[in-house]
Amino acid sequence: MASELYNTIDALSREKGIDPQIVVSAVEDAIVVATRKYYKTQENLRAELDKETGKIRAFAVKTVVESPEQVEDPVLQVTLDDARKIDPKIEVGGELQITKVTEGILGRIAAQLAKQVIFQKVREAERDTVYNEYIGRVGEIVNATVKRIEGPDVIFELGKAEARMPRKEQSRLESFAIGERIRVVIARVEKASKGPAVVVSRAAPELVQHLFQTEVPEIYDGTVVIRAIAREAGERTKIAVMSKDKDVDAVGACVGMKGMRVQSIIRELRGEKIDIIEYHEDPVTFAEKALQPAKVSRVTVLDTTDKQLEVVVDDSQLSLAIGKKGQNVRLAAKLLGWKIDIKSEEEKRQEVEQQMSALVGSTSTPLDSVPGLGEGLIEKLNAAGVTTVEALADMTPEQLEAIEGIGPKTVEKISLAVNNYFSSLEAGEAASIAPEAEAAQETPAEGQEASAEEGAAPDSAGAQTTESGAEASAGSLEAAAEGVPAEVGPVDETTVQTEEPGEEHAPSEDKQ
């Protein structure tokens, strides 16, 4: 029959949830410490608890050597002859146990010291037990009771251990009352100087997953699978689900009839918003779904290696797609596991225009590449700082006329030459217009030159162009400047008449 002392140790072990042998070892170590302090010795001391009688025997242990010459430390070693005086059967190399008297001599101080040692050993064993029990349960949902509130932290009772919920692991929508039972997630187990600290959470995505498994039978039996969860506790949660059965609607199963299933989860989370999204393997389609309730115009994969997407939405949908403080796009990116660059249609258009401007600005074609410009005109343009075809094409007629030596007719000539040059580039020709276009435009050009010459100075017969002829020539130039071949035939004889004596010529409109 076990002694009363051993029964007490066994009861303590069951209460603390530790092995009784750990408590027995703690008691034996305490007796060794008290005995060493009483005898003031450095001997190798040991203690043994007799389970039947409840008595604890302390003794010193010495190693047996054959001769006195082999004794290096008399405190730890003893010769064979001296050892056999105590134990006749002992041999060389054995251990001699020399009993130390403990009953009635240890006193109150030694007993207090033994008590401290026992408590320390029991606490260490209890910490190891708690750590070993909960380290393998990280991520598990457990029921806990609110024990007390310490500042921003909430302390829960988990049964054998206490758990702490720091502020960052709490939802801003929730408040707790002492004695309330709630479900929490074991977030992590930390080893500290004061013992293992079990940290629980109400902000972890695993809590939402557990609630859906509880409320939705299709998720519990594996028909509907939760593929990803992104959560900001107290604000919004996005959950992506997929059905393994084509006849089962994954989103509908999670929502439930009249939203009963999801409403039950929302009540558990104190009103946190939940977006249920159908999962897609295609990241483009998945991104469109993940950014709901915003409507996405188009999604482009920028980099598959770094997982980058570009999303373009309508200008009116930009704020909705980004969400409050970027919450919607942040949760969508976390749900997809991709980086999302979101832009409005206007921002995308401006970006494309900038790229096109940079592309156009990077090219520079000299003016002598345009066949229709003469050397004198090129020199005037260069003197005014216009050295490239691109710069010339960007100038307005008013800006060209502001250059010295260039009038309206020269502007029309420049416009015609530049348009012909760009038309030839569009047609895939490097330096000239297509033969058909050149043939169609040759006649009005000759007609314009003839009209310009006649308008500039009278011929030997004193003839000059009439008003109608000048208008016809100007119309031809305008049509040519727009890139449309003008149907101008040869100059009619009726458009030339002999100048009356005494009349002055009409001054030329060209400044050349």
Side-chain angles (χ1 to χ4, degrees):
M1 182 176 178
S3 65
E4 184 179 352
L5 176 60
Y6 188 80
N7 289 335
T8 304
I9 291 174
D10 188 53
L12 178 64
S13 301
R14 285 197 301 269
E15 180 185 347
K16 298 295 184 180
I18 58 180
D19 187 2
Q21 187 57 42
I22 295 176
V23 182
V24 171
S25 300
V27 173
E28 292 174 348
D29 291 344
I31 295 299
V32 168
V33 171
T35 304
R36 189 185 304 280
K37 186 175 183 63
Y38 177 79
Y39 285 101
K40 295 181 177 59
T41 178
Q42 297 299 320
E43 292 177 307
N44 186 12
L45 298 178
R46 293 181 188 174
E48 286 182 356
L49 171 64
D50 190 339
K51 296 181 182 179
E52 301 298 331
T53 62
K55 293 182 178 181
I56 302 174
R57 184 174 68 93
F59 51 87
V61 179
K62 292 186 177 183
T63 305
V64 179
V65 295
E66 187 172 0
S67 62
E69 292 79 11
Q70 295 177 338
V71 177
E72 297 177 358
D73 188 349
V75 176
L76 303 176
Q77 294 173 325
V78 65
T79 61
L80 180 61
D81 294 338
D82 293 339
R84 282 184 174 175
K85 292 177 183 178
I86 301 173
D87 184 0
K89 297 180 180 180
I90 199 165
E91 299 293 338
V92 175
E95 289 185 345
L96 177 66
Q97 296 181 354
I98 304 173
T99 304
K100 297 288 186 180
V101 180
T102 57
E103 291 185 6
I105 64 172
L106 294 182
R108 182 179 59 82
I109 296 177
Q112 186 69 21
L113 182 61
K115 179 182 176 182
Q116 293 175 359
V117 172
I118 293 172
F119 282 170
Q120 182 180 355
K121 293 289 184 180
V122 170
R123 279 196 300 267
E124 290 176 357
E126 189 177 5
R127 291 170 184 173
D128 292 340
T129 302
V130 171
Y131 182 82
N132 294 331
E133 179 180 354
Y134 289 101
I135 190 63
R137 300 175 61 183
V138 174
E140 184 179 330
I141 308 294
V142 295
N143 290 320
T145 305
V146 180
K147 189 173 182 179
R148 63 183 183 275
I149 298 175
E150 296 180 352
D153 296 350
V154 182
I155 307 301
F156 292 91
E157 181 66 52
L158 295 182
K160 296 180 182 179
E162 289 185 351
R164 179 175 56 89
M165 182 189 292
R167 183 62 189 167
K168 66 178 181 179
E169 298 293 349
Q170 301 174 27
S171 169
R172 69 172 186 86
L173 301 176
E174 295 180 331
S175 58
F176 306 99
I178 296 175
E180 183 181 2
R181 284 184 61 84
I182 61 173
R183 284 177 280 193
V184 296
V185 181
I186 299 177
R188 58 188 180 275
V189 182
E190 302 170 344
K191 269 193 172 181
S193 58
K194 295 182 180 180
V198 181
V199 180
V200 295
S201 173
R202 288 276 296 176
E206 289 84 358
L207 179 62
V208 179
Q209 182 174 354
H210 172 78
L211 294 175
F212 270 97
Q213 289 174 349
T214 304
E215 295 291 336
V216 183
E218 290 83 355
I219 294 179
Y220 183 79
D221 62 21
T223 305
V224 176
V225 181
I226 299 175
R227 295 301 302 265
I229 298 179
R231 185 184 183 204
E232 289 188 2
E235 299 287 346
R236 183 181 292 272
T237 294
K238 288 182 181 285
I239 178 171
V241 294
M242 182 185 71
S243 175
K244 292 184 177 180
D245 188 344
K246 63 180 181 180
D247 296 328
V248 177
D249 179 15
V251 176
C254 294
V255 173
M257 184 177 295
K258 297 182 180 180
M260 291 179 60
R261 292 176 176 176
V262 72
Q263 286 299 327
S264 176
I265 297 171
I266 291 174
R267 281 194 299 272
E268 172 72 21
L269 299 175
R270 308 293 199 275
E272 184 176 315
K273 298 179 180 65
I274 298 178
D275 295 338
I276 304 173
I277 301 160
E278 186 177 358
Y279 177 81
H280 287 271
E281 294 290 346
D282 180 21
V284 173
T285 307
F286 193 18
E288 293 177 356
K289 299 284 185 182
L291 285 168
Q292 292 177 353
K295 295 181 180 179
V296 177
S297 300
R298 58 187 179 276
V299 180
T300 307
V301 178
L302 299 180
D303 191 344
T304 55
T305 305
D306 294 338
K307 292 187 175 183
Q308 292 184 353
L309 291 175
E310 182 185 67
V311 177
V312 179
V313 299
D314 192 71
D315 295 354
S316 61
Q317 296 287 313
L318 181 62
S319 60
L320 187 61
I322 294 174
K324 183 180 179 182
K325 297 180 181 179
Q327 183 187 80
N328 192 54
V329 68
R330 186 167 59 249
L331 287 174
K334 192 183 298 184
L335 194 70
L336 268 72
W338 287 61
K339 297 176 183 177
I340 297 179
D341 184 12
I342 191 164
K343 299 176 182 177
S344 65
E345 293 281 5
E346 179 65 21
E347 290 173 343
K348 185 62 178 176
R349 184 185 64 80
Q350 292 177 359
E351 181 182 332
V352 172
E353 287 181 354
Q354 290 175 359
Q355 292 175 352
M356 293 298 295
S357 299
L359 184 63
V360 171
S362 62
T363 59
S364 56
T365 308
L367 292 176
D368 54 10
S369 301
V370 182
L373 300 178
E375 292 184 3
L377 183 55
I378 292 176
E379 290 179 0
K380 293 177 182 179
L381 292 171
N382 288 336
V386 183
T387 58
T388 63
V389 179
E390 290 76 20
L392 181 61
D394 289 339
M395 296 184 70
T396 62
E398 291 77 10
Q399 291 174 332
L400 287 173
E401 290 181 13
I403 299 175
E404 185 178 356
I406 295 182
K409 293 187 181 295
T410 309
V411 170
E412 293 174 0
K413 180 180 178 182
I414 293 172
S415 299
L416 178 63
V418 170
N419 285 334
N420 289 341
Y421 172 75
F422 283 116
S423 298
S424 67
L425 292 181
E426 291 177 1
E429 297 178 1
S432 61
I433 318 172
E436 304 86 26
E438 187 177 4
Q441 292 181 359
E442 233 175 35
T443 304
E446 290 173 359
Q448 293 157 7
E449 288 173 4
S451 301
E453 288 171 1
E454 291 171 1
D459 56 8
S460 58
Q464 68 176 12
T465 56
T466 63
E467 250 183 347
S468 60
E471 289 174 2
S473 177
S476 302
L477 285 171
E478 183 177 355
E482 295 177 358
V484 181
E487 297 181 0
V488 181
V491 179
D492 195 353
E493 292 179 358
T494 58
T495 62
V496 181
Q497 63 181 8
T498 307
E499 183 183 358
E500 293 294 333
E503 286 185 1
E504 296 178 0
H505 328 282
S508 173
E509 293 180 7
D510 199 339
K511 296 179 182 180
Q512 288 182 306

